[in-house]
Amino acid sequence: MTNNKAREKRSVYFYINVLFVLFFFFLGGCFLLFAANGITGILLLPFLAANFFLVILFRKNRKDGTFRVPLIIVRIITILFTVIIFASPIIGVSFKNNKLFYPVKRAIFGYGIRSDSEWKRILLQHLPDNCDEYFFRTEMSVPAQDYHPYAYLVMRCDKEQIKEYISEAKANDLEYINNEKTFSEYNFDNKTDIELYEQDINYHVTVISDYLSIPYHVFIWLSDEQKLELSTDAVVYKSGRFGCAFDESSGLCLFWA
């Protein structure tokens, strides 16, 4: 009778562990899909290793019941990996206006999405103490060779902070984009173009982005008010496809990586 009760208890424990194993291996398969998208790919090997040890410890614990504590520890580790794996893409595409998530979103984008280190020269390591109109959009990657995910950081700072950022851009050997003409010398083809520039915000954006050499895909993430406020005297620094722009008159700071 005692043996039957022991078998019954062991049977319940057995099924609980089977459910855990199947659950985590299912999530492991889902993670392979996420890893193909370049999201937190650095966690792939330790996550699969945790699943492997989960099975080994489960079998040993089922045999003699002496590996229960290590099994619980590995199970907790695997749960933590699972949470990180599924939370990363959610955080990466969310919290665009929450400053508290900036370090996390920056890390997910920089270490889980990009394979280069050039983004570190552009994206700020820390946000300034006083900045307004904060916006940080990070894109997740997809399995396509011609797709390059971007991060867009926009905020408004005071002149002293902007001067500090300009000094940092120079120190990082970013290329200064020098406009050979002033905007007053910038030629419109005809009067219609001038009227469109003054009345049509989309054409306004096209002209300003072209004059300042700021990619159009960067400009479109500004609010309508910011698009109109960004001065033609803004200074732009670039490094390949990445860059930053600073406008002392409006206080706007743009970073794209």
Side-chain angles (χ1 to χ4, degrees):
M1 184 66 115
T2 306
N3 290 335
N4 290 335
K5 287 183 178 180
R7 286 195 191 113
E8 185 178 349
K9 290 180 180 179
R10 186 177 297 177
S11 177
V12 172
Y13 188 67
F14 166 77
Y15 285 115
I16 290 175
N17 279 275
V18 167
L19 286 175
F20 267 103
V21 171
L22 292 176
F23 180 65
F24 287 125
F25 268 104
F26 169 75
L27 292 181
C30 293
F31 176 58
L32 287 175
L33 177 62
F34 280 134
N37 287 333
I39 301 173
T40 57
I42 195 173
L43 296 175
L44 176 59
L45 290 179
F47 180 73
L48 293 179
N51 275 282
F52 174 76
F53 282 110
L54 188 65
V55 175
I56 299 299
L57 291 173
F58 163 70
R59 294 186 64 181
K60 287 185 174 295
N61 183 71
R62 182 191 172 195
K63 183 178 180 181
D64 52 25
T66 58
F67 286 86
R68 186 173 182 180
V69 173
L71 179 62
I72 292 174
I73 294 173
V74 173
R75 184 180 294 160
I76 293 173
I77 292 173
T78 313
I79 290 173
L80 291 176
F81 272 120
T82 304
V83 171
I84 294 172
I85 287 163
F86 282 86
S88 294
I90 295 173
I91 294 174
V93 297
S94 307
F95 306 107
K96 298 179 180 66
N97 301 108
N98 192 322
K99 299 177 186 178
L100 296 177
F101 281 87
Y102 176 75
V104 180
K105 285 173 65 71
R106 180 182 182 272
I108 290 172
F109 173 80
Y111 299 104
I113 307 299
R114 302 295 312 195
S115 59
D116 50 59
S117 60
E118 195 71 10
W119 61 273
K120 294 181 181 179
R121 301 173 62 195
I122 303 296
L123 288 181
L124 304 174
Q125 186 170 1
H126 305 288
L127 292 176
D129 295 331
N130 54 340
C131 65
D132 300 315
E133 300 177 32
Y134 164 82
F135 173 83
F136 185 38
R137 181 182 189 272
T138 54
E139 295 178 344
M140 303 292 100
S141 61
V142 296
Q145 292 182 352
D146 58 347
Y147 178 76
H148 303 284
Y150 272 87
Y152 305 91
L153 173 62
V154 181
M155 58 187 176
R156 199 185 294 267
C157 302
D158 57 35
K159 290 185 178 180
E160 293 302 318
Q161 185 65 65
I162 288 178
K163 289 179 180 177
E164 184 178 329
Y165 286 151
I166 291 175
S167 298
E168 290 179 6
K170 293 177 180 177
N172 287 331
D173 295 325
L174 300 182
E175 179 188 0
Y176 171 65
I177 306 301
N178 184 26
N179 296 315
E180 296 181 357
K181 297 180 180 180
T182 63
F183 191 71
S184 60
E185 298 171 333
Y186 193 73
N187 294 323
F188 291 97
D189 292 335
N190 50 55
K191 186 178 180 180
T192 304
D193 289 346
I194 298 176
E195 293 175 351
L196 280 172
Y197 172 76
E198 295 174 347
Q199 300 174 9
D200 188 330
I201 190 170
N202 291 323
Y203 188 73
H204 180 95
V205 167
T206 301
V207 172
I208 295 294
S209 65
D210 181 64
Y211 176 72
L212 292 176
S213 298
I214 297 176
Y216 184 80
H217 66 83
V218 175
F219 231 117
I220 61 175
W221 294 112
L222 298 177
S223 66
D224 288 349
E225 180 183 0
Q226 291 171 339
K227 290 172 184 174
L228 296 174
E229 284 185 345
L230 188 65
S231 168
T232 54
D233 293 325
V235 294
V236 179
Y237 292 86
K238 285 187 177 182
S239 177
R241 297 186 306 273
F242 304 160
C244 48
F246 310 105
D247 180 23
E248 290 191 25
S249 62
S250 66
L252 286 174
C253 300
L254 286 68
F255 305 83
W256 59 98

